[in-house]
Amino acid sequence: MSTKDFIEKDYYKVLGVPKDATEAEIKKAYRKLAREFHPDANKGNAKAEERFKEISEANDVLGDPKKRKEYDEARALFGNGGFRPGPGAAGGSFNFDLGDLFGGAAQGGGFGGGIGDVFGGLFNRGGAAGPRTQPRRGQDVESEVTLSFTEAIEGATVPLRMSSQAPCKACSGTGDKNGTPRVCPTCVGTGQVARGSGGGFSLTDPCPDCKGRGLIAEHPCEECKGSGRAKSSRTMQVRIPAGVTDGQRIRLRGKGAPGERGGPAGDLYVVVHVREHPVFGRKGDNLTVTVPVTYPEAALGGEVRVPTLGGPPVTLKLPPGTPNGRTMRARGKGAVRKDGTRGDLLVTVEVRVPEDLSGKARDALEAYREATAGEDPRAELFEAAKGA
């Protein structure tokens, strides 16, 4: 994500929430949209996949209080893509494209060091005299991983193969096959050139001669064509924390593409997909399970053994007269929360009606029917229908 995108995109509109939305409202909107547009629910739908990426990007910014503060401050200053000077500025007001303002200001996606970096580039402050080459932050990398239901609940370490831009090995990232690039005379190694814009300050653009690198290769490397960067693949072990949910986007700082000329590495974003479980479901931090019981167990009460995820069964006591669909709670048998505690296991009772009866069982039910012949469970239903 470039700095230009960071300010021009309306993430509140993407999630469908007001600008004063609370963290809970943002989280709720993201979860709803993520379920609707998740790739697993929209197989082969490119538009849904693109929409899912937009939703995840918006949540990554608005769901992080620090990022949201920077985003709100930047948009308040620059509006929807245009700079808005104070009422004392010459000519009253003017706009210019953010591409002119931020060209080359943030390398490889991300907002750099925050809005202070934007001011430094905008007003051309703090530049040291003499030639220098600027360190460049590595690109952010996004990958996906699919976990089993149990792995998502308990956490897992998974191998992840990533492809990203890294310093070219053939020329050691210099871009020159002899390893001796020269400092660009146009930008004096800064990678940027200033142009006057009036109003007492200057704007910066990427240097047209070195393409923002600050260096020029006299003898371009054949592998990277003088860019100093080449595609690199690597496999790393990534720890997925316990309790992750389907569609969650995890940020691993400094695990993205390597930086250039001593710059910091980018970040790695991992989108988690979770396979369904044949027995258990999930509702927030709670797990769910449906347990069949017999009619005598429901009517007379009794003890029922219930399976748990990855642990020994628990025994729940059914009170006499338990209706079909009642939900009971086994505390501490759910998903892992952020604070290390666990949610609960929600057990829903399903009264099973036998399809085949033995002669003895049939006689017993016939006797029960005779004993309750005067009862009509639908009487209240008809009374209510008459009064409506």
Side-chain angles (χ1 to χ4, degrees):
M1 177 174 56
S2 67
T3 306
K4 180 174 182 288
D5 286 342
F6 188 93
I7 296 178
E8 285 192 342
K9 290 184 178 180
D10 189 343
Y11 293 129
Y12 292 102
K13 185 176 181 180
V14 171
L15 294 183
V17 297
K19 293 182 179 179
D20 59 351
T22 63
E23 289 185 29
E25 290 172 334
I26 290 172
K27 186 176 182 179
K28 181 179 179 181
Y30 165 69
R31 286 182 172 177
K32 179 181 177 183
L33 292 172
R35 283 194 298 268
E36 180 179 352
F37 293 98
H38 195 282
D40 288 349
N42 299 271
K43 299 289 187 181
N45 189 333
K47 290 185 178 179
E49 183 177 351
E50 187 61 31
R51 175 75 169 126
F52 180 75
K53 290 181 179 179
E54 291 178 354
I55 294 165
S56 297
E57 181 179 307
N59 181 65
D60 181 58
V61 174
L62 299 186
D64 184 320
K66 182 179 178 181
K67 283 187 180 180
R68 183 180 181 184
K69 183 175 183 293
E70 286 186 351
Y71 173 71
D72 288 341
E73 289 176 349
R75 283 182 63 85
L77 176 62
F78 298 110
N80 294 321
F83 181 75
R84 298 180 298 183
S93 65
F94 63 91
N95 289 331
F96 53 82
D97 191 280
L98 278 171
D100 294 335
L101 175 61
F102 294 111
Q107 299 294 337
F111 200 47
I115 197 167
D117 294 343
V118 177
F119 293 148
L122 174 64
F123 295 102
N124 201 24
R125 296 176 181 171
R132 62 191 179 97
T133 55
Q134 300 285 356
R136 301 173 73 181
R137 181 181 181 275
Q139 290 182 330
D140 289 340
V141 178
E142 183 164 303
S143 187
E144 296 179 307
V145 64
T146 299
L147 303 178
S148 69
F149 189 89
T150 302
E151 287 175 328
I153 298 300
E154 302 295 339
T157 298
V158 297
L160 201 62
R161 185 170 179 80
M162 299 181 300
S163 296
S164 62
Q165 292 292 316
C168 175
K169 293 182 179 179
C171 63
S172 300
T174 63
D176 190 287
K177 65 181 181 180
N178 296 329
T180 55
R182 64 185 178 90
V183 174
C184 175
T186 303
C187 64
V188 200
T190 64
Q192 298 178 347
V193 291
R195 60 183 174 86
S197 62
F201 60 88
S202 64
L203 304 177
T204 59
D205 286 331
C207 176
D209 293 333
C210 66
K211 304 299 187 293
R213 294 192 68 232
L215 300 172
I216 292 180
E218 295 286 357
H219 308 285
C221 171
E222 296 177 359
E223 294 291 330
C224 65
K225 311 304 179 187
S227 68
R229 311 290 283 178
K231 193 170 184 178
S232 173
S233 296
R234 58 187 171 126
T235 299
M236 62 184 300
Q237 299 294 319
V238 175
R239 178 64 187 175
I240 305 298
V244 293
T245 57
D246 187 51
Q248 185 171 339
R249 194 166 182 251
I250 301 172
R251 180 185 185 186
L252 302 175
R253 295 181 183 273
K255 299 299 183 181
E260 188 175 357
R261 295 191 294 276
D267 297 332
L268 170 62
Y269 292 88
V270 181
V271 179
V272 179
H273 304 295
V274 181
R275 291 192 291 267
E276 293 184 355
H277 195 281
V279 173
F280 298 97
R282 185 170 182 180
K283 186 180 292 184
D285 294 328
N286 299 322
L287 299 184
T288 62
V289 65
T290 298
V291 176
V293 299
T294 66
Y295 178 75
E297 287 175 327
L300 303 176
E303 293 185 343
V304 178
R305 293 177 75 243
V306 178
T308 62
L309 185 68
V314 295
T315 300
L316 296 182
K317 187 173 183 180
L318 288 181
T322 297
N324 183 64
R326 170 172 287 183
T327 298
M328 299 179 292
R329 188 182 299 268
R331 298 193 179 278
K333 301 299 181 180
V336 179
R337 300 189 180 101
K338 290 183 178 180
D339 61 2
T341 62
R342 284 184 175 269
D344 301 330
L345 176 63
L346 305 180
V347 182
T348 300
V349 171
E350 181 181 79
V351 179
R352 288 285 177 88
V353 177
E355 296 182 0
D356 299 313
L357 292 173
S358 66
K360 187 176 180 180
R362 181 176 293 278
D363 291 341
L365 281 178
E366 289 289 355
Y368 173 78
R369 179 158 59 182
E370 291 178 7
T372 58
E375 299 178 6
D376 185 359
R378 293 171 289 279
E380 294 182 0
L381 176 68
F382 284 97
E383 288 297 326
K386 288 179 183 179

